[in-house]
Amino acid sequence: MTLSVLANIADLLAAAGVIGSLVFVAFEIRKSSEQARLSNWTAVLSSLREHKRRTDDPYVADLIVRGRADFESLSEAEKLSFGYWMEEMVLCFDGMILHQNSMAVGPQETRRAAVGAFAMHFAFPGCLAWYRWSGIGDRWPPKLVAAIEEGIRRAKDNAAAET
């Protein structure tokens, strides 16, 4: 075997090593990306659980029930509390909308879940009144506002279909 043949074999082995290394790096990046998507999803679910736990307080639960029914009937202090509760709810779904491409369940399912939640909440007249009153449509990211507006349209369509 000549030195030239050995050099060619060494080049082939080096190329195979580089390809093997690239495949390993790609596998590790994919694994890391999957873990990041799962972590993002878990963080969103944790914030939603924490938000829902606020209703463990009977006063807060009563305030939400009354606010959903008629936002204008609340006192100024109650409007503030209800408004913060609503804003926190929207912010919980903000992560889903803005980062829908990096969630474990995929972008379509993530957006569908958020828009469905908005449709459920904004079907209540008090929640819709709060949304119009709050002006968040003018100050929040357009992608999030579009999802909220889609949820509001869906809530109206659902109400119309029920009548």
Side-chain angles (χ1 to χ4, degrees):
M1 200 175 279
T2 67
L3 192 56
S4 172
V5 172
L6 286 175
N8 287 338
I9 291 172
D11 285 344
L12 285 173
L13 289 174
V18 168
I19 291 170
S21 295
L22 290 174
V23 168
F24 177 74
V25 168
F27 174 76
E28 288 299 314
I29 288 173
R30 182 176 177 184
K31 189 169 130 184
S32 176
S33 295
E34 288 173 9
Q35 289 173 341
R37 283 192 292 276
L38 183 58
S39 178
N40 289 345
W41 183 246
T42 301
V44 165
L45 293 179
S46 292
S47 68
L48 286 168
R49 274 191 304 275
E50 190 62 33
H51 175 69
K52 290 177 181 181
R53 280 199 183 118
R54 305 223 189 300
T55 60
D56 289 350
D57 179 341
Y59 171 77
V60 174
D62 179 66
L63 174 64
I64 293 166
V65 168
R66 290 185 296 114
R68 284 176 166 180
D70 185 4
F71 177 70
E72 292 303 322
S73 71
L74 299 176
S75 72
E76 290 303 310
E78 289 173 329
K79 284 180 182 179
L80 181 68
S81 293
F82 180 77
Y84 283 160
W85 186 85
M86 285 295 296
E87 196 159 336
E88 183 180 18
M89 177 274 297
V90 171
L91 287 172
C92 287
F93 291 103
D94 175 50
M96 291 175 81
I97 295 299
L98 296 180
H99 304 292
Q100 63 191 19
N101 292 329
S102 60
M103 292 287 179
V105 297
Q108 292 83 13
E109 289 301 311
T110 301
R111 182 174 174 77
R112 182 177 119 347
V115 170
F118 292 146
M120 188 273 297
H121 284 286
F122 292 113
F124 292 99
C127 294
L128 187 56
W130 166 82
Y131 178 70
R132 302 287 185 229
W133 172 84
S134 71
I136 63 173
D138 295 329
R139 57 188 167 90
W140 284 17
K143 196 173 186 180
L144 176 61
V145 172
I148 293 169
E149 294 288 338
E150 183 181 338
I152 291 170
R153 281 190 303 278
R154 188 181 298 175
K156 288 179 181 177
D157 292 346
N158 290 345
E162 291 176 2
T163 58

